[in-house]
mmCIF file of all heavy atoms in Angstrom:
data_model
loop_
_atom_site.group_PDB
_atom_site.id
_atom_site.type_symbol
_atom_site.label_atom_id
_atom_site.label_comp_id
_atom_site.label_asym_id
_atom_site.label_seq_id
_atom_site.Cartn_x
_atom_site.Cartn_y
_atom_site.Cartn_z
ATOM 1 N N PRO A 284 -2.130 -0.521 28.420
ATOM 2 C CA PRO A 284 -2.412 -0.182 27.017
ATOM 3 C C PRO A 284 -1.134 -0.038 26.205
ATOM 4 O O PRO A 284 -0.034 0.100 26.756
ATOM 5 C CB PRO A 284 -3.152 1.157 27.126
ATOM 6 C CG PRO A 284 -2.667 1.746 28.413
ATOM 7 C CD PRO A 284 -2.439 0.589 29.330
ATOM 8 N N LYS A 286 -0.289 2.481 24.188
ATOM 9 C CA LYS A 286 0.227 3.844 24.196
ATOM 10 C C LYS A 286 0.057 4.471 25.575
ATOM 11 O O LYS A 286 -0.864 4.123 26.314
ATOM 12 C CB LYS A 286 -0.486 4.691 23.137
ATOM 13 C CG LYS A 286 -0.219 4.230 21.712
ATOM 14 C CD LYS A 286 -0.871 5.158 20.695
ATOM 15 C CE LYS A 286 -0.573 4.702 19.269
ATOM 16 N NZ LYS A 286 -1.193 5.611 18.257
ATOM 17 N N PHE A 287 0.973 5.380 25.883
ATOM 18 C CA PHE A 287 0.944 6.058 27.177
ATOM 19 C C PHE A 287 0.465 7.496 27.008
ATOM 20 O O PHE A 287 0.836 8.174 26.046
ATOM 21 C CB PHE A 287 2.346 6.058 27.809
ATOM 22 C CG PHE A 287 2.904 4.687 28.027
ATOM 23 C CD1 PHE A 287 3.789 4.126 27.119
ATOM 24 C CD2 PHE A 287 2.524 3.946 29.134
ATOM 25 C CE1 PHE A 287 4.299 2.865 27.313
ATOM 26 C CE2 PHE A 287 3.032 2.676 29.341
ATOM 27 C CZ PHE A 287 3.914 2.122 28.425
ATOM 28 N N SER A 288 -0.333 7.952 27.946
ATOM 29 C CA SER A 288 -0.792 9.338 27.908
ATOM 30 C C SER A 288 0.361 10.272 28.269
ATOM 31 O O SER A 288 1.387 9.842 28.800
ATOM 32 C CB SER A 288 -1.941 9.535 28.905
ATOM 33 O OG SER A 288 -1.473 9.373 30.244
ATOM 34 N N ARG A 289 0.187 11.553 27.974
ATOM 35 C CA ARG A 289 1.233 12.523 28.322
ATOM 36 C C ARG A 289 1.487 12.561 29.820
ATOM 37 O O ARG A 289 2.626 12.720 30.267
ATOM 38 C CB ARG A 289 0.833 13.915 27.827
ATOM 39 C CG ARG A 289 0.896 14.067 26.319
ATOM 40 C CD ARG A 289 0.698 15.507 25.920
ATOM 41 N NE ARG A 289 0.821 15.685 24.478
ATOM 42 C CZ ARG A 289 0.746 16.854 23.852
ATOM 43 N NH1 ARG A 289 0.509 17.957 24.572
ATOM 44 N NH2 ARG A 289 0.866 16.932 22.547
ATOM 45 N N LYS A 290 0.433 12.402 30.597
ATOM 46 C CA LYS A 290 0.579 12.391 32.050
ATOM 47 C C LYS A 290 1.429 11.208 32.493
ATOM 48 O O LYS A 290 2.309 11.354 33.365
ATOM 49 C CB LYS A 290 -0.805 12.333 32.701
ATOM 50 C CG LYS A 290 -0.777 12.423 34.211
ATOM 51 C CD LYS A 290 -2.188 12.415 34.775
ATOM 52 C CE LYS A 290 -2.154 12.481 36.301
ATOM 53 N NZ LYS A 290 -3.517 12.465 36.879
ATOM 54 N N GLU A 291 1.227 10.033 31.897
ATOM 55 C CA GLU A 291 2.012 8.851 32.245
ATOM 56 C C GLU A 291 3.467 8.999 31.821
ATOM 57 O O GLU A 291 4.376 8.546 32.520
ATOM 58 C CB GLU A 291 1.412 7.605 31.576
ATOM 59 C CG GLU A 291 0.102 7.143 32.166
ATOM 60 C CD GLU A 291 -0.454 5.943 31.413
ATOM 61 O OE1 GLU A 291 -0.578 6.013 30.179
ATOM 62 O OE2 GLU A 291 -0.762 4.939 32.079
ATOM 63 N N GLN A 292 3.697 9.628 30.669
ATOM 64 C CA GLN A 292 5.050 9.755 30.139
ATOM 65 C C GLN A 292 5.953 10.600 31.023
ATOM 66 O O GLN A 292 7.175 10.440 30.992
ATOM 67 C CB GLN A 292 4.998 10.355 28.734
ATOM 68 C CG GLN A 292 4.439 9.407 27.689
ATOM 69 C CD GLN A 292 4.241 10.065 26.343
ATOM 70 O OE1 GLN A 292 4.574 11.233 26.155
ATOM 71 N NE2 GLN A 292 3.687 9.327 25.403
ATOM 72 N N ARG A 293 5.387 11.502 31.820
ATOM 73 C CA ARG A 293 6.207 12.379 32.662
ATOM 74 C C ARG A 293 7.007 11.592 33.694
ATOM 75 O O ARG A 293 8.106 11.959 34.040
ATOM 76 C CB ARG A 293 5.317 13.406 33.363
ATOM 77 C CG ARG A 293 4.684 14.408 32.417
ATOM 78 C CD ARG A 293 3.913 15.464 33.191
ATOM 79 N NE ARG A 293 3.082 16.263 32.289
ATOM 80 C CZ ARG A 293 1.781 16.427 32.396
ATOM 81 N NH1 ARG A 293 1.129 15.813 33.376
ATOM 82 N NH2 ARG A 293 1.107 17.179 31.547
ATOM 83 N N GLY A 294 6.439 10.526 34.228
ATOM 84 C CA GLY A 294 7.150 9.752 35.246
ATOM 85 C C GLY A 294 7.580 8.394 34.748
ATOM 86 O O GLY A 294 7.802 7.473 35.541
ATOM 87 N N LEU A 295 7.722 8.255 33.422
ATOM 88 C CA LEU A 295 8.002 6.961 32.807
ATOM 89 C C LEU A 295 9.331 6.986 32.064
ATOM 90 O O LEU A 295 9.650 7.953 31.367
ATOM 91 C CB LEU A 295 6.870 6.618 31.830
ATOM 92 C CG LEU A 295 7.019 5.323 31.028
ATOM 93 C CD1 LEU A 295 6.770 4.114 31.925
ATOM 94 C CD2 LEU A 295 6.050 5.311 29.843
ATOM 95 N N ARG A 332 8.814 4.697 37.104
ATOM 96 C CA ARG A 332 8.261 3.535 36.406
ATOM 97 C C ARG A 332 9.047 3.318 35.124
ATOM 98 O O ARG A 332 9.395 4.273 34.430
ATOM 99 C CB ARG A 332 6.796 3.820 36.113
ATOM 100 C CG ARG A 332 5.999 2.717 35.472
ATOM 101 C CD ARG A 332 4.571 3.209 35.304
ATOM 102 N NE ARG A 332 3.782 2.333 34.469
ATOM 103 C CZ ARG A 332 2.837 2.739 33.647
ATOM 104 N NH1 ARG A 332 2.555 4.036 33.553
ATOM 105 N NH2 ARG A 332 2.149 1.886 32.914
#
Side-chain angles (χ1 to χ4, degrees):
K286 295 184 179 181
F287 301 98
S288 66
R289 289 189 177 183
K290 184 178 179 180
E291 288 178 307
Q292 289 173 3
R293 293 185 192 124
L295 177 74
R332 184 179 169 215

